Amino acid sequence: MISDRHAWSRPELETVVPGVHRLPLPLPTDALRAVNVYLLVPEDGATELTLVDGGWAIDASRDVLGRLLGELGLATGDVRRFLVTHVHRDHYSQAIALRREHGARVALGAGERDSLEVIHHREDGLDAQTAGLDRAGAHDLATEVRRWVAAAEAPPAEDFADPDEWLADGQELAAGGRSLVVRETPGHTRGHVVFVDETIPDAGMLFAGDHVLPHITPSIGFEPAARPGALTRFLTSLAALRAEPDRLLLPAHGPVAPSVHDRIDELVAHHDKRLDEIAAAVVAGGSTALEVAGAIRWTRREYHLDDMETFNRMLAVLETDAHLEVLAAQGRVRRDADAGTGVDHHASA
């Protein structure tokens, strides 16, 4: 029997454990299909609810959220607190929109301050990414992305207002009758956090956001205030979680999975394999992240770089560059500055 890989994204409420419910909310693109938000309901029946992540502020998401809450006899106005894993639009914007309407409080990792500042003050989207493409030798792709951004509708600035609370690593939270601990997990974004729930002994859960996903590998360093070192931060964060007791995985995209450890092991193995592939591509003559990205395959469908649309080609080149950065730190490749262009991302074996 063939299982439906996308069954998790159906807009149907799932009770993970008593008092913790998974609500898949639709996204406006087909790539990820949905984002899971998790509802925490106190056992005493109080209606001051907490949501882990908020969804994308679009009408379809708002309608599904209202319907699924209604199945529990609740309403969106009963949500009084949002614990958001990171600042990406599919996690943050609807939390802010519902705060405007109902007065709920929004909490976000303190490491997202810089990205919010960039969002508040920049004129063009994806500035850090297009600059990264230029440094990686992908000048034509950078121009293509700039044109794509210019033609796209900018997200409403009011959906990226500051949170009410900045969260710190190790902070303890009481939410929905449960005890959560904040863990900083930089990599996908610098300020990404996860929430560790150890309320029930020997039945721990991890609200993992986009840090640990069961079906896909998270993009690395895709954020307004992008900085070097994202892949190193990501692998270090994974190792820190792997050193903790194993837990039930509650991801933002994909089904609930029984083991955080098992998925971390798969993610680390994936990046080890990718590092080897990229090192081999440099040995074969690839001298920029663009050339190397064009020499390897992408996604489980084994696409060539040119087979993908603009957005995913951008991610592929930038992630190739992040892997080259790690390989250089390991001494497996050398990155030489180009005095004529200012490009410091030429690589050789």
Side-chain angles (χ1 to χ4, degrees):
M1 180 178 179
I2 300 176
S3 61
D4 181 357
R5 180 183 177 88
H6 302 296
W8 70 272
S9 64
R10 296 172 187 152
E12 301 170 354
L13 185 146
E14 175 190 4
T15 298
V16 180
V17 299
V20 178
H21 308 277
R22 183 179 69 87
L23 286 62
L25 304 182
L27 298 176
T29 60
D30 291 336
L32 291 176
R33 295 176 179 264
V35 58
N36 295 322
V37 303
Y38 293 91
L39 176 70
L40 308 184
V41 181
E43 291 184 2
D44 61 10
T47 56
E48 289 195 359
L49 311 178
T50 296
L51 272 183
V52 176
D53 283 325
W56 189 309
I58 55 174
D59 289 343
S61 177
R62 171 63 183 273
D63 291 346
V64 170
L65 177 61
R67 177 176 62 80
L68 295 180
L69 289 172
E71 293 179 12
L72 295 170
L74 303 166
T76 53
D78 295 324
V79 179
R80 306 311 302 158
R81 191 182 194 188
F82 290 89
L83 303 177
V84 182
T85 57
H86 61 296
V87 79
H88 284 167
R89 193 173 180 181
D90 56 328
H91 297 255
Y92 192 66
S93 62
Q94 187 160 255
I96 295 297
L98 291 174
R99 179 181 71 178
R100 288 197 303 271
E101 184 172 346
H102 300 295
R105 293 180 59 81
V106 177
L108 181 69
E112 300 291 54
R113 284 179 186 268
D114 288 348
S115 281
L116 277 178
E117 282 295 311
V118 171
I119 292 171
H120 295 163
H121 295 102
R122 72 184 180 186
E123 295 182 359
D124 299 312
L126 300 183
D127 293 343
Q129 285 68 42
T130 52
L133 291 175
D134 280 327
R135 290 193 301 270
H139 305 296
D140 291 344
L141 180 56
T143 299
E144 187 178 333
V145 171
R146 290 185 181 103
R147 289 173 180 162
W148 175 66
V149 169
E153 182 179 354
E158 60 268 24
D159 287 348
F160 289 92
D162 282 344
D164 301 283
E165 179 183 1
W166 296 105
L167 299 173
D169 186 55
Q171 184 174 344
E172 297 182 3
L173 305 171
R178 310 189 75 82
S179 298
L180 307 182
V181 179
V182 179
R183 290 277 187 270
E184 291 181 348
T185 50
H188 182 59
T189 69
R190 281 190 295 156
H192 193 289
V193 297
V194 300
F195 302 100
V196 176
D197 183 346
E198 292 286 5
T199 303
I200 302 175
D202 302 321
M205 295 183 291
L206 181 73
F207 297 95
D210 283 0
H211 187 60
V212 182
L213 299 174
H215 288 163
I216 60 176
T217 56
S219 60
I220 302 301
F222 183 67
E223 55 194 327
R227 297 288 187 276
L231 181 55
T232 296
R233 290 190 289 272
F234 179 65
L235 295 174
T236 301
S237 298
L238 288 179
L241 283 181
R242 185 61 174 82
E244 295 189 10
D246 201 5
R247 301 181 174 100
L248 188 68
L249 173 62
L250 279 62
H253 307 283
V256 173
S259 172
V260 172
H261 284 182
D262 286 352
R263 184 53 182 159
I264 287 177
D265 291 345
E266 292 171 354
L267 288 170
V268 171
H270 163 80
H271 283 287
D272 285 344
K273 179 182 177 183
R274 186 59 98 194
L275 288 167
D276 290 342
E277 291 172 341
I278 288 174
V282 172
V283 171
S287 64
T288 66
L290 175 64
E291 292 176 0
V292 172
I296 59 181
R297 299 295 184 93
W298 295 94
T299 82
R300 60 188 179 86
R301 294 183 174 86
E302 298 287 308
Y303 287 134
H304 289 284
L305 183 67
D306 291 340
D307 294 333
M308 299 189 292
E309 69 278 8
T310 300
F311 183 80
N312 282 327
R313 279 187 287 130
M314 173 187 70
L315 291 181
V317 173
L318 294 176
E319 292 193 21
T320 299
D321 192 67
H323 284 80
L324 286 168
E325 184 181 53
V326 170
L327 288 168
Q330 294 174 346
R332 297 173 65 184
V333 303
R334 185 177 66 253
R335 286 154 71 88
D336 301 316
D338 183 329
T341 65
V343 173
D344 65 352
H345 288 195
H346 288 277
S348 57

